[in-house]
Amino acid sequence: MKEDSSQFAETFTTEDMEGGITNENGRDPESNSLNQPLLKRNRTLSSSPLALIGAKVSHIESLDYEINENDLFKHDWRSRSSVQVLQYIFLKWTLAFLVGLLTGLIATLINLAVENIAGFKLLAVAGFIEEKRYLMGFIYFTGANFLLTLVAAVLCVCFAPTAAGPGIPEIKAYLNGVDTPNMFGATTLIVKIIGSIGAVSAGLDLGKEGPLVHIGTCIASLLGQGGPDNYHLRWRWLRYFNNDRDRRDLITCGASSGVCAAFRAPVGGVLFALEEVATWWRSALLWRTFFSTAVVAVVLRAFIEYCNSGKCGLFGKGGLIMFDVSNVTVKYHVMDIIPVVIIGLIGGVLGSLYNYLLHKVLRLYSLINQKGKIYKLLLSLSVSLFTSVCLYGLPFLATCSPCDPSLPESACPTTGQTGNFKQFNCPDGYYNDLASLLFSTNDDAVRNIFSTNTPTEFHPLSLVIFFTLYCILGLFTFGIAVPSGLFLPIILMGSAYGRLLGSAMGSYTNIDQGLYAVLGAASLMAGSMRMTVSLCVIFLELTNNLLLLPITMIVLLIAKTAGDSFNPSIYEIILHLKGLPFLEAHPEPWMRNLTVGELADIKPAVVTLHGLEKVARIVDVLRNTTHNGFPVVDDDMVPPAGLAIGAMALKGLVLRSHLVQILKKKWFLQERRRTEEWEVREKFTWVDLAERCGRIEEVAVTKDEMEMYVDLHPLTNTTPYTVVESMSVAKAMVLFREVGLRHLLIVPQYQAAGVSPVVGILTRQDLRAHNILTAFPHLEKSKRREKGN
């Protein structure tokens, strides 16, 4: 049904769920027996299908991940030859290969473009500084960043609003079963690529890791449907992938490929898709995602080898984050567990605080963005100017430090080029440690702050300034109208306080300060994003050192546990802000005291169709309802032994899109009769039914045709998922989410003559906690008590 979205995005209307109603006798609703109906309600379940997608409020529907086992599907399955099945499997793996290949190529393009654009900019500014022309250097630095931000913002605001932000929350929602319009189009892909290059090159406090995940999913979606909507290929076998189920699998491959391209972590990419974005998973999908990430890793390795020869432009390293500490001996003792635990606690607390503050900032930005495109541009450009002023001006506050005599002259100091020791405004033989972090690309800043065997490289005050600045910039930058990722800002913030703690520990610890920076970055990411297994593997693949595994696991577990004590993950917060109806993995405890039958009672009566239905009835139902699924019942059957005469049979579920196709193709009968199998195959194919098609408003039906009949049996899904009306809402929600359903039929406990075989239909919107609490407000008291405990 079109009840598949949440309430209006919180950025436009806030939810007031205070003042829950208690039972008249003072009993706790939590203790209510399943046999006692919860009749304390004030209205029906909400079904407003609106959510914030990109820059506008869009109509939202769920996706049909369930296999529609009607007569056409069964015939197609029986008639497929072994060769056809092998072709289908081969094409699946071919598409997985292409997803990995294209994602790797585009990631390399983005990295090289960012490194060269930002590199030439920094070289030019370094030349002005070397000549003591500080004002000219500031103007050039700020102007270049301003123009790069302007390009990225104009593209996002004017051409593809869905390209702004990381895109990961929308991907999570899509793989959860929520259709997110225009999120995976060709325009979005192009703007995401160019916008990411512009925004990252402009020195904004954002990363390309989140956008790379979105880019991977866009590539997967476009490959699955054969290209853009208006120009996609019509190859017969490719049409088999133009359905929600196969598209979901390809997009999962794209998400894992994007993470692999961002961190060069193939196993971490697979685990990220499994842990963070995918709701549905199976072993076959595991192999295909792993294959895609393996292809990405091979592409990246090939280009790294090529770029090492100096043929890739200014820096020649491709901007690929790789912190290799395989040659560093990692030593730690029992006492080192204490600072490791402290880092985990700090990461959990700071991560939850960061989520809280970012939530407030995003709500403020939504009010500004509502005023129009010009305000979005002004907001983005204002953040760019503020960032440029900070990045250029703050290094002048740092004192110059003498270079270590043991270092070669080419290593310290460096001017403009990549390296740990930036000369900036210092005399020869001295370097500016704060400039090494601020006056460089974000990737270089990560390499510098992660550097090992350099215990005196950064002053504590410089680390404090760096941490404070990136906390402020991280809050102000995320949410502007440019492609942006959260990974890199959080890594930089976490590494700053990690290295600061390492320098404070001094000789009391055996762990290198660079490794403390790694642990700090991991802890803040776990505290904000609440990832554990995938994050652990990503950091192991980044550091290339298995000796870090035990302490990394401890840090991640402590940080996630501490963060969960305060608020949800940052992606869940964004999902809630956008109003996307995401179904969580775990139902609320109070849902076990509510039955699906009680939910059906407060919904409008279910609309059913007969197996042999009049065209006029179908047109009337489609025009006067917004439902996307209708139970099909028969009441003229001969009842089996034991059932009373007059009992009705549930034949299955027919989709709105199939009914519209019937009306479009004029598949009508003069008399009320069942059709033959060949008659159905003459008009429809299983592939046709997998595709979505128009609306009822686009269909014209004459007066004579209204009196004709339609046999719905061949197009009816004869195996819909059903639950008995006595099942708890909690159990129904788990089934709904794990199987990836759009409709869940409720059947009565008892069948008798005159009793409908279906009590109601549950959809995504009906199982959301907020909507249930709105309909049963006295359960709010139970919810608050659970939080208090």
Side-chain angles (χ1 to χ4, degrees):
M1 294 183 173
K2 290 185 181 178
E3 62 294 307
D4 309 306
S5 74
S6 74
Q7 68 280 0
F8 199 75
E10 186 187 342
T11 49
F12 293 87
T13 58
T14 32
E15 305 163 359
D16 182 12
M17 298 194 296
E18 296 297 322
I21 302 173
T22 57
N23 288 336
E24 295 165 334
N25 57 6
R27 290 184 61 197
D28 179 11
E30 186 72 359
S31 64
N32 199 39
S33 169
L34 288 177
N35 296 324
Q36 298 173 331
L38 300 175
L39 298 177
K40 295 293 292 183
R41 55 180 181 260
N42 62 356
R43 69 182 205 180
T44 59
L45 289 170
S46 169
S47 61
S48 57
L50 298 174
L52 190 65
I53 304 295
K56 64 180 181 179
V57 178
S58 302
H59 186 81
I60 295 295
E61 291 187 11
S62 284
L63 297 164
D64 293 302
Y65 287 155
E66 182 186 358
I67 295 178
N68 199 318
E69 293 188 353
N70 51 36
D71 291 347
L72 281 173
F73 171 81
K74 294 174 183 177
H75 171 77
D76 177 81
W77 191 258
R78 290 192 304 265
S79 61
R80 283 193 189 184
S81 66
S82 300
V83 174
Q84 289 176 317
V85 173
L86 287 175
Q87 284 179 322
Y88 179 62
I89 295 173
F90 175 77
L91 194 55
K92 277 186 176 182
W93 286 90
T94 302
L95 290 176
F97 171 79
L98 291 175
V99 167
L101 177 65
L102 294 177
T103 304
L105 292 174
I106 291 177
T108 304
L109 169 68
I110 292 174
N111 283 310
L112 294 179
V114 168
E115 288 294 303
N116 282 282
I117 294 173
F120 280 112
K121 176 190 69 176
L122 294 175
L123 273 180
V125 176
F128 288 120
I129 294 175
E130 192 173 2
E131 298 171 2
K132 309 298 181 184
R133 299 170 63 187
Y134 299 125
L135 181 59
M136 191 62 194
F138 172 73
I139 294 174
Y140 186 94
F141 184 75
T142 306
N145 291 343
F146 185 89
L147 289 176
L148 289 169
T149 305
L150 180 64
V151 171
V154 167
L155 287 174
C156 284
V157 170
C158 300
F159 296 99
T162 51
I168 293 179
E170 290 85 353
I171 296 169
K172 282 173 63 75
Y174 184 92
L175 296 179
N176 191 255
V178 181
D179 189 16
T180 46
N182 304 317
M183 275 303 297
F184 307 111
T187 306
T188 301
L189 173 63
I190 295 170
V191 171
K192 199 81 174 185
I193 295 171
I194 301 174
S196 295
I197 294 173
V200 178
S201 300
L204 296 173
D205 185 20
L206 45 82
K208 53 187 176 292
E209 293 75 22
L212 276 174
V213 178
H214 191 186
I215 287 169
T217 57
C218 288
I219 293 171
S221 177
L222 290 171
L223 285 174
Q225 65 183 23
D229 291 334
N230 299 328
Y231 305 103
H232 59 81
L233 299 175
R234 296 289 181 179
W235 185 32
R236 175 175 174 269
W237 276 100
L238 198 57
R239 292 178 66 197
Y240 276 93
F241 291 87
N242 197 15
N243 61 80
D244 295 336
R245 188 180 181 87
D246 284 316
R247 195 178 180 210
R248 172 191 62 189
D249 292 350
L250 271 176
I251 286 177
T252 305
C253 293
S256 58
S257 298
V259 174
C260 176
F263 296 105
R264 207 170 74 181
V267 179
V270 174
L271 292 176
F272 174 84
L274 172 61
E275 179 181 12
E276 186 62 22
V277 296
T279 299
W280 168 267
W281 201 264
R282 63 184 187 280
S283 59
L285 184 57
L286 177 69
W287 281 106
R288 263 187 288 155
T289 53
F290 185 65
F291 177 62
S292 294
T293 57
V295 173
V296 174
V298 171
V299 172
L300 295 181
R301 171 56 64 184
F303 274 95
I304 289 173
E305 294 294 332
Y306 178 78
C307 291
N308 282 339
S309 61
K311 299 178 181 178
C312 293
L314 188 61
F315 286 173
K317 291 189 177 179
L320 296 164
I321 298 176
M322 183 59 184
F323 175 47
D324 189 352
V325 295
S326 55
N327 59 343
V328 177
T329 303
V330 181
K331 295 181 179 179
Y332 46 88
H333 301 296
V334 177
M335 293 304 296
D336 290 323
I337 297 298
I338 296 176
V340 168
V341 171
I342 293 174
I343 285 182
L345 290 173
I346 294 174
V349 174
L350 287 182
S352 59
L353 178 62
Y354 181 77
N355 291 358
Y356 173 80
L357 294 176
L358 190 59
H359 179 213
K360 301 300 180 184
V361 172
L362 290 176
R363 293 188 64 181
L364 173 64
Y365 278 6
S366 70
L367 299 176
I368 299 174
N369 292 336
Q370 283 182 73
K371 297 182 179 180
K373 295 181 178 180
I374 189 66
Y375 286 90
K376 296 178 187 176
L377 290 174
L378 290 175
L379 179 60
S380 302
L381 297 175
S382 300
V383 171
S384 175
L385 290 175
F386 176 72
T387 303
S388 299
V389 170
C390 293
L391 295 182
Y392 187 87
L394 287 178
F396 287 97
L397 302 178
T399 58
C400 295
S401 304
C403 292
D404 189 342
S406 63
L407 294 172
E409 292 185 5
S410 61
C412 182
T414 58
T415 303
Q417 298 287 340
T418 130
N420 281 37
F421 307 95
K422 291 292 178 67
Q423 185 173 358
F424 200 64
N425 62 329
C426 297
D428 292 339
Y430 288 78
Y431 73 95
N432 187 317
D433 63 337
L434 193 54
S436 299
L437 298 175
L438 299 181
F439 192 68
S440 62
T441 63
N442 288 338
D443 291 338
D444 276 338
V446 172
R447 294 190 191 97
N448 294 342
I449 202 167
F450 279 0
S451 60
T452 56
N453 300 320
T454 53
T456 60
E457 178 182 354
F458 299 104
H459 293 288
L461 180 59
S462 297
L463 291 174
V464 170
I465 294 174
F466 178 77
F467 173 72
T468 306
L469 172 64
Y470 268 78
C471 283
I472 296 172
L473 293 180
L475 291 172
F476 289 164
T477 306
F478 189 80
I480 63 175
V482 296
S484 57
L486 278 170
F487 284 95
L488 201 76
I490 292 177
I491 287 175
L492 290 171
M493 284 187 285
S495 60
Y497 74 73
R499 189 160 190 122
L500 195 60
L501 180 62
S503 64
M505 293 298 297
S507 59
Y508 294 100
T509 181
N510 296 300
I511 304 177
D512 189 275
Q513 289 186 20
L515 301 183
Y516 270 110
V518 175
L519 296 177
S523 68
L524 191 60
M525 288 184 74
S528 177
M529 300 179 179
R530 311 295 156 76
M531 297 187 297
T532 52
V533 179
S534 59
L535 197 57
C536 182
V537 174
I538 287 173
F539 269 89
L540 286 180
E541 291 182 284
L542 279 177
T543 59
N544 199 21
N545 197 323
L546 280 174
L547 295 175
L548 287 174
L549 178 62
I551 53 178
T552 305
M553 293 173 64
I554 293 173
V555 164
L556 293 175
L557 289 172
I558 293 175
K560 183 185 186 303
T561 303
D564 284 337
S565 304
F566 296 98
N567 52 26
S569 73
I570 185 62
Y571 292 133
E572 291 179 21
I573 290 174
I574 297 172
L575 282 168
H576 184 65
L577 279 171
K578 288 179 172 288
L580 292 167
F582 185 84
L583 283 184
E584 300 294 341
H586 305 290
E588 299 285 350
W590 48 264
M591 289 183 177
R592 299 198 177 279
N593 285 353
L594 192 67
T595 66
V596 294
E598 289 163 343
L599 281 186
D601 286 342
I602 63 172
K603 293 187 65 176
V606 62
V607 178
T608 61
L609 296 173
H610 290 90
L612 295 172
E613 191 62 85
K614 226 178 183 183
V615 173
R617 165 70 175 163
I618 295 175
V619 172
D620 179 65
V621 166
L622 292 178
R623 286 179 177 172
N624 295 293
T625 68
T626 59
H627 307 330
N628 273 321
F630 303 92
V632 176
V633 299
D634 277 346
D635 54 5
D636 55 353
M637 63 165 194
V638 177
L643 288 182
I645 297 176
M648 293 183 286
L650 174 63
K651 292 297 183 181
L653 187 79
V654 64
L655 299 181
R656 168 181 284 266
S657 60
H658 295 173
L659 294 176
V660 172
Q661 284 203 42
I662 289 173
L663 297 179
K664 274 189 171 183
K665 295 193 175 187
K666 308 291 185 181
W667 193 55
F668 305 145
L669 302 172
Q670 294 290 345
E671 66 275 1
R672 194 170 183 269
R673 65 174 179 84
R674 293 289 298 268
T675 55
E676 300 293 334
E677 188 174 316
W678 64 269
E679 292 180 278
V680 185
R681 297 201 306 272
E682 203 173 55
K683 278 284 186 180
F684 301 98
T685 66
W686 178 73
V687 178
D688 293 333
L689 296 182
E691 298 180 2
R692 298 187 181 187
C693 63
R695 300 175 300 168
I696 181 61
E697 291 79 12
E698 302 169 355
V699 180
V701 182
T702 65
K703 185 176 180 181
D704 292 337
E705 290 172 338
M706 287 286 193
E707 300 302 316
M708 301 174 75
Y709 293 90
V710 174
D711 180 14
L712 296 179
H713 293 94
L715 304 185
T716 298
N717 179 11
T718 56
T719 59
Y721 283 88
T722 61
V723 294
V724 182
E725 59 182 336
S726 58
M727 178 182 284
S728 69
V729 173
K731 195 171 182 180
M733 177 185 166
V734 171
L735 173 66
F736 194 97
R737 185 184 190 274
E738 291 186 352
V739 180
L741 301 180
R742 185 173 186 175
H743 308 98
L744 186 60
L745 302 187
I746 307 173
V747 297
Q749 284 183 284
Y750 307 102
Q751 293 184 351
V755 176
S756 174
V758 57
V759 174
I761 299 181
L762 285 180
T763 61
R764 173 179 300 272
Q765 190 72 1
D766 303 329
L767 295 171
R768 300 197 67 213
H770 166 74
N771 293 334
I772 297 175
L773 290 174
T774 303
F776 296 93
H778 66 291
L779 290 175
E780 181 68 15
K781 175 183 174 182
S782 173
K783 181 184 178 184
R784 288 200 298 268
R785 181 178 291 110
E786 291 165 9
K787 288 185 176 180
N789 294 335

